[in-house]
Amino acid sequence: MLTYLVIVFDSTHYAIKTEKLMKQVNISGRLIPTPGNLRAGCGLSYKVDINLKKKVLTLLNEEIGQGYEVFEIKKSEKGTDSEQLTVLNEFN
């Protein structure tokens, strides 16, 4: 089972701002197209390792503050059949 965080944004501004923030604090992740099963205001999302969840959520809350929603996604190694989404917060 693969588990990771996906941060979706209500605008490209917040996606770019988040990518810059994560690079500044050396959190590895990357911008990805927003998965089709997630609702967002822009087509970019940020994918990051689940082990960084606490640090990422703290940074988002302190530095970004709004315009994002965070999902924890669990996927089977075979594909998308057993994908599970957990909403960790909602757009502010």
Side-chain angles (χ1 to χ4, degrees):
M1 180 80 60
L2 301 172
T3 305
Y4 51 91
L5 295 179
V6 171
I7 308 162
V8 299
F9 304 95
D10 63 1
S11 77
T12 304
H13 167 76
Y14 291 117
I16 301 299
K17 187 175 178 178
T18 297
E19 181 184 41
K20 287 181 181 177
L21 173 65
M22 297 302 168
K23 284 182 180 177
Q24 287 174 354
V25 296
N26 295 319
I27 290 179
S28 63
R30 62 187 171 103
L31 287 175
I32 61 171
T34 298
N37 56 344
L38 298 180
R39 182 177 49 94
C42 92
L44 292 175
S45 296
Y46 196 81
K47 181 179 178 181
V48 67
D49 188 322
I50 190 69
N51 295 319
L52 300 170
K53 178 168 71 174
K54 185 175 180 181
K55 186 173 184 177
V56 167
L57 291 175
T58 299
L59 276 168
L60 288 170
N61 186 45
E62 292 176 354
E63 302 294 331
I64 305 296
Q66 61 182 349
Y68 65 89
E69 193 170 14
V70 182
F71 294 87
E72 182 176 314
I73 297 179
K74 295 179 181 175
K75 260 185 177 176
S76 73
E77 293 179 15
K78 294 180 181 176
T80 59
D81 293 338
S82 63
E83 187 171 285
Q84 177 183 347
L85 305 176
T86 303
V87 180
L88 299 176
N89 77 323
E90 295 182 8
F91 286 119
N92 297 318

